[in-house]
Amino acid sequence: VPAFNYSFSVKILITIPCLLTGGTEIQTLNLVRALVQGGHQVIVTCYFEYTPAMVQCYQNSGSKVICLSPNSTRIGGWKGVIFLFKGLREILRNERPDIAHVQYMAPGAIPIFLLRLLGMKNIIVTTHTAADIYPNLRLIHFVQKYCVRVFTCITMRAEESFFGSAELYNSDTILKRRNHFTIYNALPPNIHIREEQKTFSDKEITLGVVSRLERIKGMDLVIPAFAKLKKQYTVIRLLVVGDGSQRIIMQDQAIELGVNDSVEWMGRQEQSHLQSLYDRVDILLMPSRSEGFGLTAIEGMARGCVVVASNIGGLPEVVKDGKVGLLHQTEDVEDMVAQIQSLLENRVRTIQLSRNALLYVSQFSFEKYATAFCNLYERIN
């Protein structure tokens, strides 16, 4: 990965609720990599839950990591606020950062208010969701207008849902005293854009999911859809990568519907293993009920998968319907089946969508992401 050389260096505090294995943590890790390669000093503060493996990933990327909770546990209520205030106060005293970057403001804004109360003026906020999880947007608007320099969103659709307008950030963007922009998420370092065209066999097609196996991800819809398709297309198989509360339900569905012999259950996998698993998938399913961005979609497209996703959240912006993938109505198994069937019936169309996806996904490269954020930091400091 090339270095990003800039004529300035600042100390940046990145704050995040947890360091587990979700998309927010992966994208924040991308941010750390971008800033370290830009010559900045980065301190990451995790308030609550963390895994040693993820902490190590952040340290390996060149950042200092401070975990406020000694037992990796969450503290709620006023005790949590006081705990967070004391922890942030000590970090600001000891580290004296120039900029604070708050990750995943969902749905509260307590860390932002505490940082402002403690005298932090240059604050950036990145929200990794759309507005649908927030019961009241007045808090968001107050934060954006009075508390932070820049509020960034991960899709223009999300930004518009928050603020009624959207703008993709670039070096020519005009900065005001308070700002909101979109900066797209980037491919993680373990996923590379495929150079050669993906081959699609006439004999066997593999459908796949790479996801937390949770209801919000629509995982309860996957097996019923696969069972309907299996009646007509006996050569298709299903690869399930991930784990969660829906796994037992999905396995019971597969047994009840008589398709378990055609399903391969891989369980949760390390990030370093995902690229080889995407390479085994022809059609990648994302039947989510809510999705801020859809990191899995760009990972799959980078490996030539054709994504079939629900028309929800940021997915329509990331998966351009009929151009690089297909969208189906949310929670509609019949429509999902119809979209997959259109690919199974038309191999030429499937190959074309795969080719389009490989060209299209370059806009989500790490280089573009790093350049945007480093440029933004230079301009607000």
Side-chain angles (χ1 to χ4, degrees):
V1 177
F4 300 90
N5 296 313
Y6 292 86
S7 58
F8 77 112
S9 177
V10 296
K11 184 181 284 190
I12 299 158
L13 173 66
I14 296 176
T15 69
I16 189 168
C18 54
L19 287 177
L20 299 175
T21 57
T24 298
E25 291 91 328
I26 297 301
Q27 284 308 307
T28 305
L29 184 58
N30 267 344
L31 177 63
V32 169
R33 292 172 59 231
L35 296 174
V36 169
Q37 290 179 36
H40 307 300
Q41 186 177 348
V42 180
I43 304 104
V44 176
T45 295
C46 171
Y47 320 141
F48 303 122
E49 304 93 338
Y50 59 87
T51 65
M54 186 57 77
V55 170
Q56 188 65 56
C57 285
Y58 275 71
Q59 291 171 334
N60 292 344
S61 293
S63 67
K64 179 178 180 179
V65 179
I66 301 173
C67 295
L68 296 183
S69 174
N71 301 316
S72 181
T73 55
R74 185 168 291 263
I75 303 171
W78 282 107
K79 287 184 178 180
V81 175
I82 295 170
F83 164 81
L84 195 55
F85 174 81
K86 290 180 177 179
L88 291 174
R89 181 179 62 184
E90 183 177 357
I91 290 169
L92 293 183
R93 283 176 178 173
N94 294 338
E95 302 294 342
R96 299 189 178 278
D98 302 297
I99 299 173
H101 194 147
V102 180
Q103 300 290 315
Y104 199 46
M105 205 184 73
I110 290 172
I112 299 168
F113 294 141
L114 293 180
L115 287 167
R116 287 290 293 154
L117 181 64
L118 290 165
M120 198 74 215
K121 294 181 179 179
N122 270 352
I123 301 175
I124 300 176
V125 171
T126 294
T127 182
H128 295 261
T129 68
D132 57 358
I133 71 165
Y134 293 85
N136 192 327
L137 291 180
R138 284 183 294 180
L139 176 63
I140 300 292
H141 296 158
F142 179 87
V143 166
Q144 187 269 322
K145 287 182 179 179
Y146 302 109
C147 300
V148 305
R149 286 293 311 280
V150 181
F151 194 112
T152 71
C153 299
I154 53 178
T155 65
M156 295 181 71
R157 185 168 178 167
E159 185 186 356
E160 190 164 355
S161 72
F162 281 116
F163 304 113
S165 62
E167 181 180 359
L168 195 62
Y169 178 81
N170 61 61
S171 59
D172 296 325
T173 299
I174 297 174
L175 285 182
K176 304 173 185 176
R177 186 166 178 267
R178 307 292 181 190
N179 307 273
H180 58 79
F181 305 118
T182 293
I183 297 178
Y184 285 136
N185 282 342
L187 286 165
N190 56 291
I191 303 292
H192 304 286
I193 299 176
R194 191 184 186 106
E195 294 182 1
E196 73 283 359
Q197 173 60 44
K198 190 180 185 75
T199 58
F200 291 85
S201 171
D202 288 326
K203 296 182 179 180
E204 184 174 277
I205 291 290
T206 299
L207 311 184
V209 294
V210 180
S211 175
R212 288 185 290 115
L213 304 186
E214 302 294 344
R215 193 174 183 279
I216 196 170
K217 297 294 185 179
M219 290 298 106
D220 54 307
L221 310 174
V222 171
I223 299 298
F226 178 67
K228 288 178 179 291
L229 290 161
K230 188 69 177 175
K231 291 178 181 178
Q232 185 174 353
Y233 306 96
T234 57
V235 296
I236 63 171
R237 295 189 59 80
L238 177 64
L239 181 69
V240 179
V241 179
D243 206 349
S245 63
Q246 294 291 304
R247 177 168 179 164
I248 294 176
I249 294 171
M250 293 174 71
Q251 289 175 329
D252 288 344
Q253 287 176 326
I255 293 170
E256 182 181 347
L257 296 172
V259 296
N260 195 50
D261 289 345
S262 298
V263 182
E264 186 175 354
W265 306 93
M266 296 294 297
R268 184 178 286 110
Q269 296 289 314
E270 296 293 331
Q271 289 290 319
S272 58
H273 298 163
L274 291 183
Q275 178 163 293
S276 62
L277 292 170
Y278 282 119
D279 286 345
R280 294 179 54 190
V281 174
D282 300 304
I283 300 172
L284 183 65
L285 310 182
M286 293 187 67
S288 303
R289 291 181 169 89
S290 178
E291 198 74 61
F293 179 80
L295 183 61
T296 298
I298 65 171
E299 291 178 342
M301 287 190 286
R303 302 310 298 170
C305 303
V306 178
V307 178
V308 176
S310 58
N311 188 2
I312 197 75
L315 286 171
E317 188 171 334
V318 175
V319 183
K320 300 293 186 183
D321 189 29
K323 297 179 180 178
V324 300
L326 298 176
L327 299 177
H328 63 81
Q329 293 303 308
T330 309
E331 296 192 75
D332 191 331
V333 171
E334 294 295 337
D335 192 28
M336 176 165 49
V337 168
Q339 301 304 325
I340 299 168
Q341 190 174 27
S342 72
L343 297 173
L344 297 175
E345 291 287 344
N346 191 337
R347 186 168 178 267
V348 173
R349 186 189 190 200
T350 303
I351 292 172
Q352 187 59 57
L353 288 173
S354 175
R355 286 176 178 164
N356 293 348
L358 288 173
L359 296 173
Y360 162 83
V361 79
S362 62
Q363 69 178 301
F364 305 109
S365 70
F366 173 74
E367 289 76 16
K368 286 190 175 184
Y369 173 90
T371 299
F373 265 116
C374 284
N375 177 268
L376 177 60
Y377 273 93
E378 182 176 14
R379 296 175 68 192
I380 70 168
N381 187 52

